[in-house]
Amino acid sequence: MNKRAFRVIFFLLILAVLGYAFAFHTNYFKIKSIKVVGNQILSYNDIKEISKIQAGTNIFKVNPKQVEKNLLENPYIKECKVKILYPNRVEIFVEERRVVAQVRYKSDYLKIDKEGVIVEKGSFAPGLLLIEGIKVERYQIGKKLNGNFDKTLLSKVLGLIESKSNYYALRYIKEDEVELLSKQGINIFLKNPADVNYSFKFAELILKDLLKKGYKSGKIEIIGDGNAVFMQ
């Protein structure tokens, strides 16, 4: 190796050492800001604790994929993304699961989102939709009630009523049969509808009309592509 090549290598090594010292031993790259976007259920401090990121940590020591893995271990977090903004900021974007119903398990109740994912176990929650007709033998927080949940009519209807408050229970009868129990006393029975969204909206229009006419009990049945039938 000639002297010129040696000097170049030596110079590069010095730059590397200085760069390392600057990156890891100065305050310039220490995290000063952790921003959380999209949270409504979990608090800022909850997410910060779950992420395991601490202010003052060197930003080069933060592994975004590991942080995302930490976050996804919490059942309330459905999706997340971590962005490193050099020199000293971190942004965490989260999409949370919202509890829309509860299912009885022995003396407790499993709280689930519209996809059937179990978010937590607790006591009965008044005002939260109760799913009847399902017997839970075993469960795991963060997993679905069962592997076939997405294939049932129950899942589709649950997604349609997640923001509605006029139903107190959703009764599972069979894979393609469910009954919605309304607080007004008139229930909706659906069996193998070709278009679940259309059938449900149609049934709700009939329900609204019946309530205006003073009916306080009965059942609206829609079977397959057939017409709706009201029975008292």
Side-chain angles (χ1 to χ4, degrees):
M1 181 184 297
N2 58 42
K3 290 184 178 181
R4 181 179 177 82
F6 177 79
R7 287 172 183 169
V8 170
I9 293 172
F10 181 75
F11 179 71
L12 292 175
L13 285 173
I14 292 297
L15 284 180
V17 170
L18 291 175
Y20 179 87
F22 179 69
F24 290 94
H25 297 285
T26 67
N27 293 329
Y28 188 70
F29 290 105
K30 288 186 177 180
I31 297 172
K32 294 180 180 178
S33 171
I34 302 172
K35 183 179 180 181
V36 177
V37 180
N39 61 309
Q40 295 181 335
I41 300 169
L42 297 173
S43 70
Y44 170 83
N45 287 332
D46 287 336
I47 293 176
K48 183 180 172 184
E49 182 178 348
I50 297 165
S51 72
K52 299 180 181 179
I53 300 176
Q54 298 292 332
T57 300
N58 188 284
I59 202 164
F60 290 107
K61 294 182 179 179
V62 177
N63 182 335
K65 295 299 181 184
Q66 182 59 53
V67 175
E68 290 169 4
K69 183 179 179 181
N70 295 341
L71 291 165
L72 291 173
E73 288 178 356
N74 186 287
Y76 270 104
I77 299 178
K78 181 179 179 180
E79 294 181 6
C80 64
K81 180 69 176 177
V82 176
K83 291 180 67 176
I84 305 297
L85 302 174
Y86 297 102
N88 52 27
R89 294 187 296 130
V90 177
E91 287 188 354
I92 300 173
F93 300 85
V94 298
E95 180 183 346
E96 296 171 311
R97 297 186 185 279
R98 187 167 73 88
V99 170
V100 298
Q102 57 190 334
V103 181
R104 186 170 183 175
Y105 174 75
K106 297 182 179 180
S107 60
D108 295 307
Y109 289 83
L110 305 176
K111 314 300 170 62
I112 66 172
D113 73 348
K114 66 179 180 180
E115 296 175 343
V117 174
I118 303 166
V119 177
E120 65 174 86
K121 182 179 77 170
S123 57
F124 178 77
L128 183 63
L129 183 78
L130 176 65
I131 294 181
E132 301 177 347
I134 293 181
K135 186 176 181 180
V136 181
E137 299 291 346
R138 61 179 65 87
Y139 74 93
Q140 184 178 344
I141 300 294
K143 301 296 183 181
K144 293 187 179 184
L145 281 172
N146 60 62
N148 295 320
F149 188 87
D150 288 337
K151 301 177 182 179
T152 66
L153 181 58
L154 174 66
S155 171
K156 296 174 183 176
V157 174
L158 187 59
L160 293 174
I161 64 171
E162 63 169 315
S163 60
K164 298 180 181 293
S165 59
N166 57 319
Y167 302 102
Y168 69 90
L170 175 55
R171 182 175 294 153
Y172 176 85
I173 301 171
K174 290 197 303 186
E175 187 173 298
D176 61 350
E177 293 181 32
V178 297
E179 184 173 6
L180 276 162
L181 311 184
S182 77
K183 296 176 182 178
Q184 296 89 351
I186 300 176
N187 300 332
I188 295 175
F189 173 81
L190 299 173
K191 179 178 180 180
N192 195 28
D195 187 331
V196 180
N197 189 45
Y198 172 80
S199 295
F200 175 68
K201 288 182 176 179
F202 184 39
E204 283 215 310
L205 288 174
I206 297 172
L207 173 61
K208 186 176 180 180
D209 182 60
L210 290 170
L211 293 173
K212 281 184 178 180
K213 292 177 179 177
Y215 289 91
K216 296 182 178 179
S217 64
K219 181 189 294 187
I220 302 166
E221 284 193 357
I222 299 182
I223 300 176
D225 296 324
N227 294 324
V229 177
F230 175 61
M231 298 182 297
Q232 281 190 289

